[in-house]
Amino acid sequence: MLEVDREQVLAYRIAAHGLHREETDAAAAAVFDLGLQDSQRDTALLGLAARLDGDVRPAVWDDPRFVLAWTHRGAPHFHRRAELDAVRAALVPLDEKDAMARILWQRKQVEDAGMSAKDALFTAAKAIRKVVTGVQTKGTVSGAVTKLIPDGLSYACRGCGVVHIYEQLMRVASIHAGVRLEAGATPATLAPLEPAPSKKGNAMKTSPDAKAATRVVEGYLRINGPAAPGDAAAYVGTTRTGVDAMWPGNLVEVRVDGKKAFLPEDRLSLLENPPEPDVVRLLPPLDPFVQARDRTVVVPDKARQKEVWKILGSPGALLADGEIAGVWRAKASGKKRLDFTVTAFDTPRPAVRKAAEEEAARVAATREFPDHRVSWS
């Protein structure tokens, strides 16, 4: 059995994520095999900028090959449009416990409504499908959907004085309704997927597809492995026992600092001999690299973990010499300049500092700011 340390694991992941910046076409980026999360301003674009050689600005927002939707854990992800049916199939709960896990903190509300979690999910999906016939804001959709679902699946919002469907339920149901998100829209805006859900042959799929779910787990292990089943379960948004039904069969067991972990067999040679992780990147908040659930492998120091993963408003991460070496934030100064504050955990080498400042220039250009300034703390 192969035994590796965390440094070798991180070197593998840097290569598996494409952070050596060898690809030039967004569609070839490995992160799209799983989906590229876009929960904060420009995070998907900046994630691509960290991985692709060349200009990435039109890569996802204006490229018809990609579509944005609420998918894994109800978070917005860009996916290759051609693969969206497979993604949707993977998100059909395999059983009641899986369905309950996917709606997170709304479990009690569903139980109080006298429904199973899966019934609640597809009841909401049918209502969303009926409502979303064109481009509409999330608030408009939520208000209309609430009138079509049982009372137990909605709540009175004090802030706006309107009754809304529960947030997580709406998010996880929308993909099954055949609904996408408008990229870059504020507030969040929904629209039907093409072809329209009402067209023949595009009926709502409610039957579990274990093979499709397995591909998601395998995709996670490909870019964020070797990892344990619990890590994959946390990414999927299911239970630890639930992920067993999705567990791929083409895996090898390795030891990471003495702990059992798994990796697709065809990736073993890359884990054994990863390229030198001699890259410096400014990863955006919620980048797929920091979405790995084994945080003690990514950042062993607990105090530093609190800096990288905050409950609200996580910063970007400075990747240097194979480690998360610090965090960064950026703030617009007017319409022409983006001001960066980079906080290194240890004093960076001059070469790292220079490379990080070059990456800041790349981030600013990706966000279409003609000027930028970098401060270190």
Side-chain angles (χ1 to χ4, degrees):
M1 184 183 301
L2 179 64
E3 295 192 11
V4 296
D5 57 22
R6 57 170 294 277
E7 288 81 6
Q8 190 166 343
V9 168
L10 293 182
Y12 165 84
R13 292 182 186 177
I14 288 168
H17 273 260
L19 287 165
H20 287 276
R21 203 177 279 160
E22 296 174 346
E23 294 287 354
T24 58
D25 182 15
V31 287
F32 283 116
D33 295 343
L34 194 58
L36 182 57
Q37 190 165 336
D38 193 45
S39 292
Q40 296 185 31
R41 179 177 176 82
D42 292 335
T43 53
L45 285 172
L46 299 185
L48 283 177
R51 291 166 171 82
L52 297 187
D53 185 17
D55 184 15
V56 303
R57 183 69 200 179
V60 284
W61 285 11
D62 304 319
D63 192 325
R65 295 177 298 174
F66 302 103
V67 62
L68 180 66
W70 283 317
T71 57
H72 305 304
R73 307 173 311 284
H77 286 75
F78 278 103
H79 295 275
R80 299 182 187 102
R81 187 179 293 271
E83 297 171 355
L84 198 62
D85 281 346
V87 173
R88 180 163 37 189
L91 296 173
V92 175
L94 300 186
D95 55 29
E96 181 61 14
K97 289 184 178 179
D98 185 20
M100 192 66 81
R102 290 175 188 267
I103 58 177
L104 299 177
W105 52 269
Q106 284 134 23
R107 301 175 190 181
K108 184 178 185 302
Q109 288 87 343
V110 170
E111 291 170 347
D112 289 346
M115 307 178 71
S116 70
K118 190 169 183 180
D119 283 346
L121 174 65
F122 287 105
T123 295
K126 289 173 184 176
I128 294 168
R129 172 172 285 194
K130 185 174 182 179
V131 168
V132 182
T133 58
V135 178
Q136 300 175 61
T137 65
K138 175 186 168 186
T140 300
V141 173
S142 177
V145 166
T146 299
K147 299 174 183 178
L148 304 178
I149 59 176
D151 291 342
L153 303 183
S154 59
Y155 72 104
C157 176
R158 294 180 181 179
C160 62
V162 176
V163 177
H164 289 294
I165 179 175
Y166 280 106
E167 174 76 12
Q168 180 68 2
L169 182 58
M170 182 179 183
R171 285 172 172 256
V172 298
S174 289
I175 186 64
H176 301 296
V179 168
R180 63 176 175 83
L181 294 166
E182 285 276 287
T186 303
T189 302
L190 287 71
L193 282 163
E194 298 81 17
S198 59
K199 288 189 177 180
K200 186 177 180 181
N202 198 24
M204 189 179 300
K205 297 175 177 63
T206 61
S207 299
D209 189 334
K211 289 184 178 179
T214 296
R215 286 193 290 270
V216 175
V217 174
E218 182 176 345
Y220 176 82
L221 295 174
R222 281 187 175 276
I223 64 170
N224 282 326
D231 301 323
Y235 180 85
V236 170
T238 190
T239 63
R240 166 60 189 84
T241 55
V243 84
D244 289 342
M246 312 170 189
W247 200 241
N250 59 338
L251 305 179
V252 292
E253 180 181 332
V254 300
R255 297 279 175 173
V256 179
D257 289 333
K259 295 181 179 179
K260 185 188 299 185
F262 297 87
L263 187 75
E265 187 174 12
D266 64 356
R267 308 296 278 178
L268 189 59
S269 60
L270 181 59
L271 175 63
E272 289 178 312
N273 295 290
E276 285 296 320
D278 53 351
V279 300
V280 176
R281 301 287 182 262
L282 293 185
L283 303 179
L286 300 172
D287 185 85
F289 188 84
V290 295
Q291 287 280 8
R293 275 11 193 201
D294 51 356
R295 292 179 175 180
T296 57
V297 172
V298 182
V299 180
D301 184 87
K302 292 189 180 300
R304 292 180 177 182
Q305 287 179 17
K306 293 179 180 179
E307 294 301 314
V308 176
W309 294 285
K310 292 187 175 294
I311 296 175
L312 293 174
S314 290
L318 169 64
L319 178 68
D321 296 330
E323 296 280 355
I324 298 298
V327 296
W328 65 274
R329 295 185 183 276
K331 184 178 180 180
S333 179
K335 295 183 178 180
K336 293 187 176 181
R337 195 180 74 201
L338 194 61
D339 290 341
F340 292 80
T341 300
V342 183
T343 304
F345 294 144
D346 298 303
T347 302
R349 296 184 294 108
V352 167
R353 184 168 176 144
K354 178 182 178 182
E357 292 177 357
E358 291 172 352
E359 291 298 299
R362 184 176 179 82
V363 169
T366 300
R367 291 191 57 185
E368 297 186 320
F369 282 87
D371 193 13
H372 73 286
R373 182 173 64 186
V374 180
S375 299
W376 290 81
S377 64

